[in-house]
């Protein structure tokens, strides 16, 4: 039997709130399902609340509201924070991504999350509504 996890897009006001919303969707109030992209990918791999057989879907309701909240402005904020923490050899690449986000170009956090959800799970696992 397929388990459906609902992501309420209207509750996603930024990246930190996304981590809370998806954690609670999968594991209940206060639940955890990653707090960064690497941890999120690990959680999508199984064993962190989703069925071991992989028979689950994420239904992302009002995803257009999330897309706005996780757009270029939030992407730039995230990259600005990341810039000081990344290895010095990665700073030029992160700076280019930041420059693109500030100019309204390139993938957004929403795009990256959708990519993680579609590439890290079985086909059809993500339903954008």
């Amino acid at each position: 039997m397929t388990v459906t996890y609902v992501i309420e897009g209207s509750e996603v006001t930024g990246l930190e709130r996304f981590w809370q919303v998806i954690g609670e969707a999968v594991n209940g109030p206060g639940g955890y399902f990653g707090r960064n992209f690497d941890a999120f990918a690990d959680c999508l791999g199984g064993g962190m609340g989703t069925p071991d057989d992989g028979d689950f879907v994420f239904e992302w309701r009002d995803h257009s509201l999330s897309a706005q909240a996780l757009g270029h402005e939030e992407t730039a904020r995230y990259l600005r924070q990341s810039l000081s923490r990344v290895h010095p050899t990665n700073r030029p690449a992160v700076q280019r991504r930041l420059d693109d986000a500030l100019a309204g170009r390139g993938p957004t956090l929403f795009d990256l999350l959708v990519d993680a959800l579609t590439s890290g799970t079985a086909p059809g696992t993500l339903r954008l509504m």
Side-chain angles (χ1 to χ4, degrees):
M1 184 169 130
T2 303
V3 177
T4 300
Y5 302 107
V6 176
I7 302 168
E8 292 292 350
S10 61
E11 293 182 22
V12 176
T13 56
L15 186 58
E16 291 307 313
R17 184 67 182 128
F18 171 80
W19 301 132
Q20 293 169 349
V21 169
I22 197 160
E24 291 180 356
V26 174
N27 291 308
Y32 174 85
F33 202 73
R35 294 268 188 256
N36 61 57
F37 283 94
D38 289 334
F40 185 50
D42 289 344
C43 289
L44 286 170
M48 294 299 296
T50 57
D52 290 337
D53 64 5
D55 193 11
F56 62 92
V57 297
F58 286 100
E59 186 176 286
W60 197 333
R61 297 178 182 167
D62 294 321
H63 73 279
S64 61
L65 296 174
S66 296
Q68 285 180 304
L70 298 168
H72 287 107
E73 185 177 330
E74 179 72 354
T75 304
R77 186 191 68 75
Y78 168 77
L79 291 169
R80 200 174 286 115
Q81 288 177 341
S82 299
L83 197 56
S84 64
R85 296 189 308 262
V86 299
H87 191 274
T89 59
N90 289 336
R91 286 191 186 127
V94 173
Q95 183 64 56
R96 282 190 297 277
R97 289 176 53 206
L98 173 58
D99 293 343
D100 282 347
L102 289 169
R105 296 186 308 259
T108 64
L109 292 171
F110 178 79
D111 298 328
L112 297 174
L113 290 167
V114 167
D115 183 58
L117 283 162
T118 55
S119 65
T121 59
T125 299
L126 177 62
R127 296 180 188 156
L128 297 175
M129 307 184 88

